[in-house]
Amino acid sequence: MDLSGEWRLRDEAGTLEVPFTLPGDGVTALHRAGAIPDPYWGQNEYDLRWIADRNWIASRAFAHTGAPSVLVIEGLDTVAEVRLNGMPVLRVANAFRRWRVPVAGLLRRGENTLEIVFRSPVHEGAARHRAQPFPIPYHADNCPIPFGNMLRKPQCDFGWDWNIALPSFGIWGQIALEEDVPRIGDIFVTQTHTAGRVEVSLRVEAPGEDVTATLCGVTVTAPVQGGVAELVLRIEDPDLWWPAGLGAQTLHRLVVTSSSAMAMRDIGLRDLRLIAQPDDAGRSFGFQINGHPVFARGANWIPADALHGRITRDAVCDLLQSAVDANMNMIRIWGGGRYEPDWFYDLCDKMGLMVWQDFMFACHLYPSTPDFLAEVAAEVRDVVGRINHHACIALWCGDNELIGALGWFEESRCDRDRYLVNYDRLNRTVEAALFDVLPRANWWPSSPSPGPMAFGDAWHDDSSGDMHFWSVWHEGRDFSHYRDVKPRFCSEFGFQSYPSMSAIRRFADPADFNIAAPVMESHQKNRGGNARIAETMFRSFRFPVDFENFVYLSQVQQGLAIHTAVTAWRALKPHCMGALYWQLNDTWPVCSWSSLDHGGGWKLLHHMAQRFFAPVTIVAVPAGDDLILRGINDTMAPVEVSILARAVAMDGSSRPLAQTTLTLPTDRASDALRIARSLIGRAEVLAFTWSDGVDHHTGMDIHAPNPWKSYDLRPSGLSAEVVRDGDLYRIALNVQSFAPFVAIEADVAGRFSTNAIPLFPGDPTSVTFTPRDQSASPVFTYRDLHAATAVSPS
């Protein structure tokens, strides 16, 4: 019996009552009922924090037969008491778990009442903080609402340097009454691959005397002992699952029966391993799929919305599809958000997106009291039991930046031994609970981390394990500093930009279109972020002529920052085997490091990522007095490419510098051309194109040896011809002078085929635009670097 749908929500004092749709969250319910303004508009956030200071009660009546039943709740957020007909049946304090509560004897024939009391996370966090045996600090710069580290709840609910601070409440998943009948519980799946065969081992929590499992036409039966059955299915010549770009995402239906119960899972057969071994440089870090080393290209994932009641499957599917369309093959689910619902991992399975899964601890210190650790162990077993079977799961990681956090707080700096032991108890609890149910899991203790039992600085040491590299953003270094490090795998790095104008108009009036306006500053959560964007822009570009061009230029420089990092590190393959930038998506419209705006629109970085993450690409690597063009091939077979390099002047005239044809191997980056910098004039840039002539691995890029502000760009003479062609628009672009970073904007939602592109005279370029609403008639705006920064715009 589904109990989702229409409920009533009131504060405990009874001063406010509104409809409440579950699954959903309380802040969204209040907004939909008109009780509060849009939390994302202007500075409304600050006037709505009273919501988290109150206790709230959700209630509904329902008719029932009174038959023995189990109350099922998933994602109860967070400190809550559930009452059935006035009797407490469940008290919880963990938003990440599933709950099954027998309620026989409490259900009545006829009308029943269910209530959920949600306790204030602010007051509950403070009370738990006071109860600790010694201080457990939290990251106050990130979280204006304190003590979120005391609660098993998304840590970013309390604010982050990209998130609104409105810790909400509600239910993420299902709420239902189920018949109290035998059922199959969690199914733990382990795969052992040998040549031409895979053994799929199952550990099934089951109610009957035996369990039968069928997969790929193979059926096996095993007895149940102690509520668990162990089975092994041997499958010959398996049809394997591959990440996006390397092969098919084949899924097979696993059917498990026991007594009268049945459960099904979709299984991808793959041998996915973490390779982290000592070597001459330190310790490697990378992934191997079905025996093939794979360079991880991708980004970090945060919750799709700050208010979970606003998250929809279709919108998340669009975000993940955008990742695949930008040639990504991995996302990292960051440890300050939440474990995603089952359908999220289903989507990643089908799209071929490998998932680096953090456990939900980030940037704070955490308790190590017995009750807290017991709750953590139960959470880990619950989460792993729910999602372990998914082909997409590549890694289980203990936390985000907890090792580094030991050096962020005065308490832990002054008493490191105590807090290091405190951390180790938490980390060991997570590890032990994982291996208890999944003994052969790919495990990494923390991100960043040099490796097991290593507690060093993985922000500046690039020799071992995974690295978070933030010196360019937080220390204000030039983009070229990305080339000074040689990470084995960079799982976080980023540079901010403003959201697109379409997103800005959703939270600000034109009167607020100024980076120093209070509304703009309220949508910049990183301390000094606006100043850093502007200061970097001043070092690299001539300053923009107005606010909208400031937004455009902020996105250009964000794209250049990440382009510099990714191309430099891909050129190190196989020394470096992964680059996951921060971050893919936004939780609300905000200045941030994302490449996708809140709502899914592509910022210029995402278009650039589609190019610099291409499986076959050529990159420019400065090397002393030379520029090296290096080829990278992330496909399954060698590729022959032809490369042409030329010098381009600002009027668009060009002259050839060098060309070559070579075969790119799959296991390493390869030098293709070496060009003396002296061959490129002070007023010229390097442009290079490549093509394999077979599988359409073609592309082009430019490299400016000097800051863009040093070039005397000319008016581009940009012209555009727009033609409607069925469901899309074709835009033919021409220029009279060289025009870097030409961008097109539309006044309606939709997708451009490419953007932020260099244009050359005599080389017409076609761009398509597909509106989300096919009945829309878009108006296009065109931007280029000269017009954005010229005193007299062209």
PDB file of all heavy atoms in Angstrom, residues 12-13 77 82 84 113 151 226 253 296 303 319 330 371 419 442-443 532 549 601 604 640 703 712 751 755:
ATOM      1  N   GLU A  12       5.315  22.431  14.897  1.00  0.00           N
ATOM      2  CA  GLU A  12       4.892  21.804  16.149  1.00  0.00           C
ATOM      3  C   GLU A  12       3.997  22.712  16.972  1.00  0.00           C
ATOM      4  O   GLU A  12       3.118  22.240  17.709  1.00  0.00           O
ATOM      5  CB  GLU A  12       6.120  21.391  16.963  1.00  0.00           C
ATOM      6  CG  GLU A  12       5.819  20.388  18.066  1.00  0.00           C
ATOM      7  CD  GLU A  12       7.075  19.829  18.689  1.00  0.00           C
ATOM      8  OE1 GLU A  12       8.007  20.621  18.968  1.00  0.00           O
ATOM      9  OE2 GLU A  12       7.148  18.601  18.878  1.00  0.00           O
ATOM     10  N   ALA A  13       4.178  24.032  16.823  1.00  0.00           N
ATOM     11  CA  ALA A  13       3.350  24.975  17.573  1.00  0.00           C
ATOM     12  C   ALA A  13       1.967  25.148  16.957  1.00  0.00           C
ATOM     13  O   ALA A  13       1.088  25.758  17.569  1.00  0.00           O
ATOM     14  CB  ALA A  13       4.053  26.336  17.659  1.00  0.00           C
ATOM     15  N   ASP A  77      14.607  11.841   6.444  1.00  0.00           N
ATOM     16  CA  ASP A  77      15.582  12.907   6.667  1.00  0.00           C
ATOM     17  C   ASP A  77      15.071  13.866   7.749  1.00  0.00           C
ATOM     18  O   ASP A  77      14.183  14.658   7.487  1.00  0.00           O
ATOM     19  CB  ASP A  77      15.788  13.644   5.340  1.00  0.00           C
ATOM     20  CG  ASP A  77      16.845  14.714   5.381  1.00  0.00           C
ATOM     21  OD1 ASP A  77      17.540  14.845   6.395  1.00  0.00           O
ATOM     22  OD2 ASP A  77      16.978  15.436   4.367  1.00  0.00           O
ATOM     23  N   VAL A  82       8.371   8.297  14.110  1.00  0.00           N
ATOM     24  CA  VAL A  82       7.192   7.905  13.348  1.00  0.00           C
ATOM     25  C   VAL A  82       6.174   7.325  14.327  1.00  0.00           C
ATOM     26  O   VAL A  82       6.511   6.453  15.152  1.00  0.00           O
ATOM     27  CB  VAL A  82       7.546   6.872  12.271  1.00  0.00           C
ATOM     28  CG1 VAL A  82       6.306   6.503  11.460  1.00  0.00           C
ATOM     29  CG2 VAL A  82       8.648   7.411  11.358  1.00  0.00           C
ATOM     30  N   LEU A  84       2.248   5.632  14.652  1.00  0.00           N
ATOM     31  CA  LEU A  84       1.097   5.018  14.010  1.00  0.00           C
ATOM     32  C   LEU A  84      -0.034   4.966  15.020  1.00  0.00           C
ATOM     33  O   LEU A  84       0.106   4.356  16.095  1.00  0.00           O
ATOM     34  CB  LEU A  84       1.446   3.616  13.515  1.00  0.00           C
ATOM     35  CG  LEU A  84       0.313   2.817  12.866  1.00  0.00           C
ATOM     36  CD1 LEU A  84      -0.257   3.546  11.653  1.00  0.00           C
ATOM     37  CD2 LEU A  84       0.796   1.418  12.471  1.00  0.00           C
ATOM     38  N   THR A 113      -4.039   6.586  11.317  1.00  0.00           N
ATOM     39  CA  THR A 113      -3.310   7.851  11.210  1.00  0.00           C
ATOM     40  C   THR A 113      -1.818   7.600  11.359  1.00  0.00           C
ATOM     41  O   THR A 113      -1.386   6.872  12.256  1.00  0.00           O
ATOM     42  CB  THR A 113      -3.761   8.847  12.295  1.00  0.00           C
ATOM     43  OG1 THR A 113      -5.161   9.080  12.160  1.00  0.00           O
ATOM     44  CG2 THR A 113      -3.017  10.168  12.155  1.00  0.00           C
ATOM     45  N   LEU A 151      25.285  14.917  12.484  1.00  0.00           N
ATOM     46  CA  LEU A 151      24.096  14.234  11.970  1.00  0.00           C
ATOM     47  C   LEU A 151      24.426  13.477  10.691  1.00  0.00           C
ATOM     48  O   LEU A 151      25.210  13.947   9.853  1.00  0.00           O
ATOM     49  CB  LEU A 151      22.980  15.242  11.677  1.00  0.00           C
ATOM     50  CG  LEU A 151      22.482  16.064  12.871  1.00  0.00           C
ATOM     51  CD1 LEU A 151      21.434  17.067  12.403  1.00  0.00           C
ATOM     52  CD2 LEU A 151      21.910  15.165  13.943  1.00  0.00           C
ATOM     53  N   GLY A 226      21.421 -19.853   8.141  1.00  0.00           N
ATOM     54  CA  GLY A 226      21.481 -18.619   8.922  1.00  0.00           C
ATOM     55  C   GLY A 226      20.898 -17.430   8.196  1.00  0.00           C
ATOM     56  O   GLY A 226      21.359 -16.293   8.400  1.00  0.00           O
ATOM     57  N   ARG A 253      19.681  -9.940 -16.933  1.00  0.00           N
ATOM     58  CA  ARG A 253      18.702 -10.016 -15.855  1.00  0.00           C
ATOM     59  C   ARG A 253      19.028 -11.198 -14.933  1.00  0.00           C
ATOM     60  O   ARG A 253      19.060 -12.350 -15.366  1.00  0.00           O
ATOM     61  CB  ARG A 253      17.294 -10.150 -16.429  1.00  0.00           C
ATOM     62  CG  ARG A 253      16.172 -10.328 -15.416  1.00  0.00           C
ATOM     63  CD  ARG A 253      16.067  -9.159 -14.428  1.00  0.00           C
ATOM     64  NE  ARG A 253      15.938  -7.865 -15.030  1.00  0.00           N
ATOM     65  CZ  ARG A 253      14.782  -7.284 -15.361  1.00  0.00           C
ATOM     66  NH1 ARG A 253      13.648  -7.926 -15.149  1.00  0.00           N
ATOM     67  NH2 ARG A 253      14.766  -6.072 -15.890  1.00  0.00           N
ATOM     68  N   ALA A 296      40.396   7.742 -16.806  1.00  0.00           N
ATOM     69  CA  ALA A 296      39.104   8.215 -16.315  1.00  0.00           C
ATOM     70  C   ALA A 296      38.939   9.692 -16.667  1.00  0.00           C
ATOM     71  O   ALA A 296      39.702  10.539 -16.209  1.00  0.00           O
ATOM     72  CB  ALA A 296      39.002   8.016 -14.809  1.00  0.00           C
ATOM     73  N   PRO A 303      24.555  16.730  -5.261  1.00  0.00           N
ATOM     74  CA  PRO A 303      23.111  16.535  -5.431  1.00  0.00           C
ATOM     75  C   PRO A 303      22.541  17.395  -6.553  1.00  0.00           C
ATOM     76  O   PRO A 303      22.990  18.525  -6.787  1.00  0.00           O
ATOM     77  CB  PRO A 303      22.557  16.940  -4.063  1.00  0.00           C
ATOM     78  CG  PRO A 303      23.658  16.597  -3.106  1.00  0.00           C
ATOM     79  CD  PRO A 303      24.924  16.929  -3.851  1.00  0.00           C
ATOM     80  N   LEU A 319      21.239  15.432 -16.955  1.00  0.00           N
ATOM     81  CA  LEU A 319      22.570  15.790 -16.469  1.00  0.00           C
ATOM     82  C   LEU A 319      23.584  14.691 -16.779  1.00  0.00           C
ATOM     83  O   LEU A 319      24.699  14.961 -17.239  1.00  0.00           O
ATOM     84  CB  LEU A 319      22.524  16.050 -14.965  1.00  0.00           C
ATOM     85  CG  LEU A 319      21.713  17.250 -14.476  1.00  0.00           C
ATOM     86  CD1 LEU A 319      21.629  17.251 -12.951  1.00  0.00           C
ATOM     87  CD2 LEU A 319      22.314  18.557 -14.970  1.00  0.00           C
ATOM     88  N   MET A 330      33.410   8.666 -16.316  1.00  0.00           N
ATOM     89  CA  MET A 330      33.355   8.463 -14.860  1.00  0.00           C
ATOM     90  C   MET A 330      32.810   9.715 -14.183  1.00  0.00           C
ATOM     91  O   MET A 330      33.083  10.843 -14.613  1.00  0.00           O
ATOM     92  CB  MET A 330      34.738   8.140 -14.286  1.00  0.00           C
ATOM     93  CG  MET A 330      34.773   8.026 -12.752  1.00  0.00           C
ATOM     94  SD  MET A 330      36.363   7.505 -12.072  1.00  0.00           S
ATOM     95  CE  MET A 330      36.203   5.718 -12.263  1.00  0.00           C
ATOM     96  N   ASP A 371      28.212   4.809  19.793  1.00  0.00           N
ATOM     97  CA  ASP A 371      26.900   4.879  19.158  1.00  0.00           C
ATOM     98  C   ASP A 371      27.001   5.461  17.749  1.00  0.00           C
ATOM     99  O   ASP A 371      26.319   5.000  16.822  1.00  0.00           O
ATOM    100  CB  ASP A 371      25.926   5.693  20.022  1.00  0.00           C
ATOM    101  CG  ASP A 371      26.413   7.110  20.290  1.00  0.00           C
ATOM    102  OD1 ASP A 371      27.634   7.345  20.236  1.00  0.00           O
ATOM    103  OD2 ASP A 371      25.571   7.992  20.572  1.00  0.00           O
ATOM    104  N   TYR A 419      43.178  13.273  17.499  1.00  0.00           N
ATOM    105  CA  TYR A 419      42.249  13.398  16.387  1.00  0.00           C
ATOM    106  C   TYR A 419      42.598  12.456  15.231  1.00  0.00           C
ATOM    107  O   TYR A 419      41.707  12.053  14.482  1.00  0.00           O
ATOM    108  CB  TYR A 419      42.173  14.859  15.928  1.00  0.00           C
ATOM    109  CG  TYR A 419      41.431  15.721  16.929  1.00  0.00           C
ATOM    110  CD1 TYR A 419      42.101  16.401  17.936  1.00  0.00           C
ATOM    111  CD2 TYR A 419      40.042  15.817  16.888  1.00  0.00           C
ATOM    112  CE1 TYR A 419      41.416  17.168  18.859  1.00  0.00           C
ATOM    113  CE2 TYR A 419      39.341  16.590  17.808  1.00  0.00           C
ATOM    114  CZ  TYR A 419      40.039  17.256  18.800  1.00  0.00           C
ATOM    115  OH  TYR A 419      39.346  18.013  19.721  1.00  0.00           O
ATOM    116  N   ASN A 442      36.603  -2.795  -4.427  1.00  0.00           N
ATOM    117  CA  ASN A 442      37.648  -1.816  -4.691  1.00  0.00           C
ATOM    118  C   ASN A 442      37.526  -0.712  -3.644  1.00  0.00           C
ATOM    119  O   ASN A 442      36.532   0.025  -3.614  1.00  0.00           O
ATOM    120  CB  ASN A 442      37.484  -1.214  -6.091  1.00  0.00           C
ATOM    121  CG  ASN A 442      37.839  -2.188  -7.190  1.00  0.00           C
ATOM    122  OD1 ASN A 442      38.637  -3.104  -6.992  1.00  0.00           O
ATOM    123  ND2 ASN A 442      37.254  -2.005  -8.359  1.00  0.00           N
ATOM    124  N   TRP A 443      38.516  -0.603  -2.789  1.00  0.00           N
ATOM    125  CA  TRP A 443      38.457   0.299  -1.632  1.00  0.00           C
ATOM    126  C   TRP A 443      39.608   1.290  -1.675  1.00  0.00           C
ATOM    127  O   TRP A 443      40.747   0.915  -1.987  1.00  0.00           O
ATOM    128  CB  TRP A 443      38.511  -0.517  -0.343  1.00  0.00           C
ATOM    129  CG  TRP A 443      38.923   0.243   0.896  1.00  0.00           C
ATOM    130  CD1 TRP A 443      40.129   0.197   1.528  1.00  0.00           C
ATOM    131  CD2 TRP A 443      38.115   1.155   1.656  1.00  0.00           C
ATOM    132  NE1 TRP A 443      40.135   1.019   2.632  1.00  0.00           N
ATOM    133  CE2 TRP A 443      38.901   1.628   2.739  1.00  0.00           C
ATOM    134  CE3 TRP A 443      36.813   1.625   1.533  1.00  0.00           C
ATOM    135  CZ2 TRP A 443      38.427   2.525   3.685  1.00  0.00           C
ATOM    136  CZ3 TRP A 443      36.339   2.520   2.477  1.00  0.00           C
ATOM    137  CH2 TRP A 443      37.126   2.971   3.537  1.00  0.00           C
ATOM    138  N   ARG A 532      38.476  36.758  -7.033  1.00  0.00           N
ATOM    139  CA  ARG A 532      39.438  35.875  -7.694  1.00  0.00           C
ATOM    140  C   ARG A 532      39.116  35.744  -9.183  1.00  0.00           C
ATOM    141  O   ARG A 532      40.022  35.724 -10.025  1.00  0.00           O
ATOM    142  CB  ARG A 532      39.445  34.510  -7.015  1.00  0.00           C
ATOM    143  CG  ARG A 532      40.635  33.653  -7.383  1.00  0.00           C
ATOM    144  CD  ARG A 532      40.802  32.494  -6.418  1.00  0.00           C
ATOM    145  NE  ARG A 532      41.129  32.966  -5.085  1.00  0.00           N
ATOM    146  CZ  ARG A 532      40.343  32.791  -4.011  1.00  0.00           C
ATOM    147  NH1 ARG A 532      39.201  32.142  -4.128  1.00  0.00           N
ATOM    148  NH2 ARG A 532      40.706  33.243  -2.837  1.00  0.00           N
ATOM    149  N   ASN A 549      28.989  40.531 -20.681  1.00  0.00           N
ATOM    150  CA  ASN A 549      30.261  40.070 -21.236  1.00  0.00           C
ATOM    151  C   ASN A 549      31.216  39.624 -20.145  1.00  0.00           C
ATOM    152  O   ASN A 549      32.094  38.793 -20.396  1.00  0.00           O
ATOM    153  CB  ASN A 549      30.877  41.160 -22.106  1.00  0.00           C
ATOM    154  CG  ASN A 549      30.240  41.205 -23.485  1.00  0.00           C
ATOM    155  OD1 ASN A 549      30.319  40.249 -24.256  1.00  0.00           O
ATOM    156  ND2 ASN A 549      29.574  42.313 -23.789  1.00  0.00           N
ATOM    157  N   GLY A 601      21.592  23.406 -18.321  1.00  0.00           N
ATOM    158  CA  GLY A 601      22.182  24.086 -19.463  1.00  0.00           C
ATOM    159  C   GLY A 601      23.701  23.958 -19.478  1.00  0.00           C
ATOM    160  O   GLY A 601      24.338  23.921 -18.430  1.00  0.00           O
ATOM    161  N   LEU A 604      30.058  27.221 -21.056  1.00  0.00           N
ATOM    162  CA  LEU A 604      31.074  27.089 -22.104  1.00  0.00           C
ATOM    163  C   LEU A 604      32.089  26.004 -21.756  1.00  0.00           C
ATOM    164  O   LEU A 604      32.607  25.324 -22.645  1.00  0.00           O
ATOM    165  CB  LEU A 604      31.758  28.428 -22.337  1.00  0.00           C
ATOM    166  CG  LEU A 604      30.842  29.550 -22.848  1.00  0.00           C
ATOM    167  CD1 LEU A 604      31.666  30.790 -23.172  1.00  0.00           C
ATOM    168  CD2 LEU A 604      30.019  29.122 -24.055  1.00  0.00           C
ATOM    169  N   GLU A 640      45.691   5.901 -36.574  1.00  0.00           N
ATOM    170  CA  GLU A 640      46.596   6.730 -37.366  1.00  0.00           C
ATOM    171  C   GLU A 640      45.971   8.105 -37.565  1.00  0.00           C
ATOM    172  O   GLU A 640      44.823   8.205 -38.024  1.00  0.00           O
ATOM    173  CB  GLU A 640      46.870   6.085 -38.724  1.00  0.00           C
ATOM    174  CG  GLU A 640      47.899   6.855 -39.550  1.00  0.00           C
ATOM    175  CD  GLU A 640      48.194   6.203 -40.880  1.00  0.00           C
ATOM    176  OE1 GLU A 640      47.388   6.414 -41.819  1.00  0.00           O
ATOM    177  OE2 GLU A 640      49.205   5.483 -40.974  1.00  0.00           O
ATOM    178  N   HIS A 703      46.564  27.337 -29.298  1.00  0.00           N
ATOM    179  CA  HIS A 703      47.393  27.586 -28.114  1.00  0.00           C
ATOM    180  C   HIS A 703      47.979  28.984 -28.250  1.00  0.00           C
ATOM    181  O   HIS A 703      48.662  29.287 -29.236  1.00  0.00           O
ATOM    182  CB  HIS A 703      48.516  26.559 -28.008  1.00  0.00           C
ATOM    183  CG  HIS A 703      49.471  26.836 -26.887  1.00  0.00           C
ATOM    184  ND1 HIS A 703      49.190  26.513 -25.572  1.00  0.00           N
ATOM    185  CD2 HIS A 703      50.696  27.436 -26.882  1.00  0.00           C
ATOM    186  CE1 HIS A 703      50.201  26.879 -24.811  1.00  0.00           C
ATOM    187  NE2 HIS A 703      51.126  27.443 -25.578  1.00  0.00           N
ATOM    188  N   ASP A 712      46.338  42.143 -30.135  1.00  0.00           N
ATOM    189  CA  ASP A 712      45.451  43.188 -30.646  1.00  0.00           C
ATOM    190  C   ASP A 712      44.409  42.556 -31.557  1.00  0.00           C
ATOM    191  O   ASP A 712      44.545  42.527 -32.792  1.00  0.00           O
ATOM    192  CB  ASP A 712      46.255  44.256 -31.395  1.00  0.00           C
ATOM    193  CG  ASP A 712      47.100  45.105 -30.464  1.00  0.00           C
ATOM    194  OD1 ASP A 712      46.630  45.378 -29.342  1.00  0.00           O
ATOM    195  OD2 ASP A 712      48.222  45.479 -30.849  1.00  0.00           O
ATOM    196  N   ARG A 751      20.021  22.926 -26.647  1.00  0.00           N
ATOM    197  CA  ARG A 751      21.379  22.413 -26.735  1.00  0.00           C
ATOM    198  C   ARG A 751      22.037  22.835 -28.048  1.00  0.00           C
ATOM    199  O   ARG A 751      21.501  22.587 -29.121  1.00  0.00           O
ATOM    200  CB  ARG A 751      21.346  20.884 -26.641  1.00  0.00           C
ATOM    201  CG  ARG A 751      22.677  20.177 -26.791  1.00  0.00           C
ATOM    202  CD  ARG A 751      23.477  20.182 -25.522  1.00  0.00           C
ATOM    203  NE  ARG A 751      22.768  19.542 -24.438  1.00  0.00           N
ATOM    204  CZ  ARG A 751      22.751  18.217 -24.227  1.00  0.00           C
ATOM    205  NH1 ARG A 751      23.410  17.412 -25.040  1.00  0.00           N
ATOM    206  NH2 ARG A 751      22.109  17.724 -23.194  1.00  0.00           N
ATOM    207  N   ASN A 755      30.232  25.131 -28.979  1.00  0.00           N
ATOM    208  CA  ASN A 755      30.232  26.533 -28.555  1.00  0.00           C
ATOM    209  C   ASN A 755      31.631  26.898 -28.099  1.00  0.00           C
ATOM    210  O   ASN A 755      32.492  26.032 -27.913  1.00  0.00           O
ATOM    211  CB  ASN A 755      29.220  26.758 -27.422  1.00  0.00           C
ATOM    212  CG  ASN A 755      28.424  28.039 -27.604  1.00  0.00           C
ATOM    213  OD1 ASN A 755      28.919  29.005 -28.192  1.00  0.00           O
ATOM    214  ND2 ASN A 755      27.195  28.049 -27.107  1.00  0.00           N
TER     215      ASN A 755
END
